[in-house]
Amino acid sequence: MSLKNGMFHKSFPSSVAFDAINSSLQADDAERKDAVKKGNAVFAFKLKNKEGQEEGWHIDLKEKGAVGKGEAPEGKKADVTLSLSDEDFGKMVAGKTQAQRLFMSGKLKIKGDVMKATKMEPVLKKAQTKAKL
């Protein structure tokens, strides 16, 4: 299931990563189930671009193991929300910076279960090889 038409947003260049994350999750049923088991949460991402516009995406690692537009699947609530710039998200997914470093410098804000946020890193690492950022 490609999200290119539905997830990519030209004003948010790093949004291609959400398609890569979803492709990674959908490519292997066993890996998707493992990611859901380890993540056990809905992760929301609020990205802000250079023009000051905000967009939201979510990664459902609680039930489906899929990526979607908006802050949570319909009728659900995110367990943790990560707010950061589109540029910093791109660097994080590309492996050029770490979430912890962004958090400590105030560039990444986390609402909700902070410990669950740490479970996002393995999923982002799998997307690094697929996302062309």
Side-chain angles (χ1 to χ4, degrees), residues 6 9 18 23 27 29-30 32 37 67 95 111 121-122 132:
H9 193 296
F18 291 107
S23 293
D29 198 43
R32 181 175 63 252
K37 184 179 174 185
V67 177
K111 287 183 187 169
E121 203 151 348
K132 304 279 189 281

Side-chain angles (χ1 to χ4, degrees), residues 45-96:
F45 291 85
K46 289 169 91 174
L47 304 184
K48 190 177 216 173
N49 67 11
K50 290 180 181 177
E51 290 79 37
Q53 299 170 310
E54 285 190 10
E55 281 291 332
W57 290 266
H58 65 269
I59 301 174
D60 178 355
L61 293 183
K62 196 172 224 171
E63 295 174 6
K64 296 180 182 175
V67 177
K69 195 104 168 69
E71 291 186 37
E74 195 171 326
K76 307 280 184 208
K77 189 177 168 198
D79 294 289
V80 61
T81 301
L82 295 89
S83 302
L84 67 163
S85 73
D86 178 65
E87 183 180 356
D88 286 332
F89 178 72
K91 288 177 184 176
M92 190 170 71
V93 172
K96 295 177 181 171

Side-chain angles (χ1 to χ4, degrees), residues 14-25:
S14 71
S15 64
V16 298
F18 291 107
D19 194 49
I21 292 166
N22 196 61
S23 293
S24 176
L25 288 169

Side-chain angles (χ1 to χ4, degrees), residues 2-16:
S2 177
L3 299 172
K4 287 281 186 213
N5 295 329
M7 293 300 123
F8 177 71
H9 193 296
K10 65 181 179 179
S11 298
F12 294 83
S14 71
S15 64
V16 298

